Amino acid sequence: MEFNSNKPIYRQIIDYCFGRILTGVWIPGERVPSVREMSVELAVNSHTVLKAYEYLQSEGLIASRRGMGFYLDAEALGTVNRLRREEFFSTTLVELSKEMKLLGISPEDLVEHLRQME
């Protein structure tokens, strides 16, 4: 995984984990990589991975089982979809709106181009 400087690394790890959930690589109820395994896989400090995993735990995506590791929650896919939608509307759409205003793009122009993309 290549990291960019626009976002903290732990947030990029969260996004990476979201991708694993959305693509079915991580299966609900199954064990997910340990902090150490993930830090080796991504070549980052284990404390950075731990910070990302703490966020995933706080959102109910993963749960720790004493002595067994982390497991993916049964509702993780729905939770990721909800979180990604919230981020889209609170961050991505706000930035898009600002850029549209700068470029003189109307909502109608955007809708027209989105329809053409389908």
Side-chain angles (χ1 to χ4, degrees):
M1 178 174 174
E2 290 188 33
F3 297 102
N4 64 54
S5 60
N6 298 339
K7 196 180 226 184
I9 292 175
Y10 86 95
R11 289 293 312 172
Q12 294 177 63
I13 294 169
I14 291 167
D15 291 341
Y16 176 80
C17 295
F18 282 2
R20 307 299 267 180
I21 294 166
L22 292 171
T23 59
V25 173
W26 288 5
I27 300 167
E30 297 290 319
R31 184 181 171 278
V32 300
S34 69
V35 170
R36 180 174 288 144
E37 290 166 340
M38 184 66 76
S39 67
V40 168
E41 178 182 338
L42 301 178
V44 297
N45 187 294
S46 60
H47 293 290
T48 306
V49 174
L50 181 60
K51 187 172 182 178
Y53 273 32
E54 286 171 348
Y55 172 82
L56 297 175
Q57 273 190 289
S58 74
E59 292 296 337
L61 292 164
I62 61 173
S64 176
R65 294 186 188 165
R66 191 173 182 91
M68 297 176 62
F70 291 99
Y71 286 77
L72 189 62
D73 184 76
E75 302 299 320
L77 183 59
T79 303
V80 168
N81 280 326
R82 176 183 57 79
L83 292 169
R84 296 275 304 260
R85 287 177 61 89
E86 288 173 4
E87 182 179 3
F88 175 81
F89 287 115
S90 68
T91 306
T92 307
L93 192 56
V94 171
E95 292 300 319
L96 177 62
S97 177
K98 289 177 185 176
E99 188 73 11
M100 288 173 60
K101 286 177 186 169
L102 285 173
L103 298 173
I105 298 172
S106 71
E108 293 79 18
D109 292 337
L110 179 63
V111 169
E112 180 183 326
H113 279 77
L114 287 172
R115 285 193 179 128
Q116 289 175 2
M117 290 172 59
E118 294 176 347

